[in-house]
Amino acid sequence: MALSPDIKERIFAAADQLHAASETGEFPSVEAVRQLSRAGMNNVVEAMKEWRQQQRKQVQTVREPMPAALQAVLQDMGQSLWATAQQLANESLEAAKAAFEAEKADLIELSEQQSEAFDTQAAELERVKTQALDAAQAHQDATERAAAELAAVRAELAQALTRAERAEAKADEIERRATDLRAELDRAHQDADHARAGLAEQKQAAQNATAERDSIRAELVKTQATIEAERKANQEQQQNTATELAAMRAELNQERKATAEAREKAAGLAGQLEATQAQASALLARLDKPEAKPATTRKKEPKA
């Protein structure tokens, strides 16, 4: 396939620039021209053949229209004309052979440079593959660590939920006990009311029976003491129940807070895991793409 004029012009410009910058005047290598022109290897090799031929044509010595020896021979019109013509033909043949050998050397040198350039590209590709594999392994390790951490957080979340459920059940039990204590307190109040009613009846009877007054007073004192003791006991029990209920509510709030934090942490880790898996998938997809095979390298010809 013929080179496009734009690509050929870009390669020739790069070769001219490198050749002009060379202090020794040597022709630039294929790899140097490829890097500067940003062209494909096969295109550079094909274009450099033509460029080298043009350079040699420009530096060839221009032959004089007629050598002085030939003019002398023409004047004599002798046998020396044929010898001179043969000499010129031999010189032309030697020049053609030299041009052929130079072109042959160019082809061999270009072939060697092309092989070296392909070796350099292959080594670079191998290095990039190794880096890509290392990156993929690092992504896989990060994914596994994130998955393990996410599993641990989920287990911790499950434990927190279990503790919260237990705390709620315990709070319900405390509420039930508090309700029972309130009912018992109400019954105690009712008993106290009945005692007071009985005491009133006893007081009324005491007015009619002086002999029973001391007994009634003693019973009254005993009843009041019993009522007061029950009242104090009920108050202490209510205070203990309220304290225990407040502690359980605080514990329940802490468990709910821990549960919410665990859920947020689990959501964050799940998002990191999804992002890591997406990066690993993209990298693996890039690695799975088929690579372009380099063009067939011209076999090296033995140097003359």
Side-chain angles (χ1 to χ4, degrees):
M1 182 177 180
L3 291 177
S4 65
D6 294 338
I7 296 177
K8 181 186 293 186
E9 182 179 356
R10 190 165 75 245
I11 296 173
F12 280 10
D16 292 338
Q17 180 179 347
L18 293 173
H19 187 236
S22 176
E23 296 180 356
T24 60
E26 295 181 354
F27 291 162
S29 65
V30 173
E31 179 62 18
V33 175
R34 186 190 67 81
Q35 292 182 0
L36 182 60
S37 64
R38 302 291 183 182
M41 177 64 68
N42 294 332
N43 293 336
V44 173
V45 172
E46 187 66 24
M48 286 299 294
K49 294 178 183 177
E50 183 177 349
W51 182 84
R52 288 189 176 218
Q53 292 176 358
Q54 291 180 1
Q55 296 299 315
R56 285 197 170 87
K57 288 179 180 179
Q58 293 176 3
V59 299
Q60 286 179 354
T61 303
V62 179
R63 187 178 291 110
E64 296 179 358
M66 183 176 294
L70 182 58
Q71 292 180 358
V73 172
L74 290 176
Q75 291 176 359
D76 295 338
M77 298 297 291
Q79 294 294 327
S80 60
L81 177 62
W82 177 248
T84 303
Q86 285 184 334
Q87 181 179 359
L88 290 176
N90 291 332
E91 291 177 356
S92 299
L93 179 60
E94 292 296 330
K97 289 174 65 177
F100 173 77
E101 293 297 332
E103 183 176 359
K104 181 180 179 181
D106 283 345
L107 292 176
I108 294 174
E109 182 180 0
L110 289 174
S111 179
E112 292 176 352
Q113 292 180 0
Q114 185 181 15
S115 298
E116 292 176 357
F118 276 128
D119 292 339
T120 302
Q121 287 182 339
E124 180 67 17
L125 180 60
E126 187 65 25
R127 184 182 65 82
V128 171
K129 284 183 177 180
T130 302
Q131 292 179 350
L133 290 175
D134 292 340
Q137 184 63 39
H139 278 295
Q140 184 177 358
D141 294 341
T143 301
E144 292 176 354
R145 288 195 299 270
E149 187 174 357
L150 180 59
V153 170
R154 285 176 176 172
E156 183 179 354
L157 177 61
Q159 294 177 359
L161 291 174
T162 302
R163 291 195 297 269
E165 292 175 355
R166 292 176 180 175
E168 290 179 357
K170 191 173 182 180
D172 293 339
E173 179 64 20
I174 292 174
E175 289 287 350
R176 186 185 62 79
R177 290 174 58 187
T179 301
D180 294 340
L181 289 175
R182 291 191 188 97
E184 292 178 1
L185 182 60
D186 291 339
R187 288 194 296 270
H189 288 165
Q190 293 176 1
D191 292 340
D193 293 338
H194 291 309
R196 291 190 185 96
L199 181 59
E201 292 177 355
Q202 289 176 1
K203 286 181 178 180
Q204 185 65 32
Q207 293 177 358
N208 298 326
T210 303
E212 295 179 0
R213 182 178 57 187
D214 295 337
S215 178
I216 293 173
R217 285 180 178 177
E219 186 68 25
L220 176 60
V221 171
K222 182 179 180 181
T223 302
Q224 288 178 345
T226 302
I227 293 173
E228 183 65 20
E230 290 180 355
R231 184 181 65 79
K232 289 182 179 180
N234 288 333
Q235 288 180 351
E236 291 177 357
Q237 190 171 8
Q238 286 180 346
Q239 290 177 357
N240 293 334
T241 301
T243 301
E244 187 177 2
L245 181 60
M248 291 303 300
R249 286 177 177 171
E251 183 180 356
L252 178 60
N253 290 332
Q254 291 178 357
E255 291 293 336
R256 288 175 176 172
K257 183 178 179 180
T259 301
E261 292 176 352
R263 286 175 177 171
E264 292 178 356
K265 186 175 181 181
L269 288 174
Q272 294 179 3
L273 179 60
E274 292 177 356
T276 302
Q277 290 176 345
Q279 293 177 359
S281 298
L283 181 59
L284 291 175
R286 291 177 55 189
L287 291 176
D288 291 338
K289 288 184 178 180
E291 301 175 354
K293 295 183 179 178
T296 303
T297 305
R298 181 191 299 273
K299 294 184 179 178
K300 297 182 180 181
E301 297 180 9
K303 294 184 179 181

